[in-house]
Amino acid sequence: DARVTQTPRHKVTEMGQEVTMRCQPILGHNTVFWYRQTMMQGLELLAYFRNRAPLDDSGMPKDRFSAEMPDATLATLKIQPSEPRDSAVYFCASGLVLTGTGVSAGELFFGEGSRLTVL
Amino acid sequence: GESVGLHLPTLSVQEGDNSIINCAYSNSASDYFIWYKQESGKGPQFIIDIRSNMDKRQGQRVTVLLNKTVKHLSLQIAATQPGDSAVYFCAEPMDTGRRALTFGSGTRLQVQP
């Protein structure tokens, strides 16, 4: 049963600490997305990668957030230093975009999310 | 769950009734649209999509209608069941050059037994 796996599911930390969230996309998917969900803003795109290359990270606060894909099976989202306003649920999603056409195969598969609380 | 506490419009229906969830989209150039369902404590889950060259598409118990004239999308759920209780989001591509999705604010569906 192919699925996107995210760790940790829950994280409570203190302001100023570094937080790293990890995602294992579905094998064979070439596009990985990071979304953040909050009560006020809903689902916001933070960054996304195609074939491990960053395509867009304009939704991320650059001074404290960083996203990487060290290999095809791992995407990471790091916050350093964390702040209380970063408290949210962070979702990773993966999908398949048909290369050459730029057309999406349609569906994004989301992980269960990482709930972050920064005190 | 993640969406609890969101000040979302709520649709309350009786089990067995049909549900209609509406969405207004913003980009007239969007070439496809997707409906997602998010249950409490889980990530969004794909329900059905529709290309812009269609005005109706049917799945199992669900139908999506697209009205490009007024940029309106609806999701119809037939014979609504308690397991359909969730938050429903419509989504469209951010722009034609990128394939990331932008999500609407969502509608909470509550099914009364």
Side-chain angles (χ1 to χ4, degrees), chain A residues 6-15 17-22 77 79 82-84 86-90 113-119, chain B residues 2:
Chain A
Q6 289 185 247
T7 57
R9 289 296 315 277
H10 302 274
K11 175 73 175 180
V12 180
T13 191
E14 292 187 346
M15 183 174 61
Q17 296 298 305
E18 178 179 300
V19 175
T20 299
M21 289 166 277
R22 293 176 174 81
L77 179 66
I79 308 173
S82 58
E83 297 181 1
D86 301 330
S87 297
V89 181
Y90 292 80
S114 294
R115 178 183 283 275
L116 173 65
T117 302
V118 184
L119 303 175
Chain B
E2 284 73 21

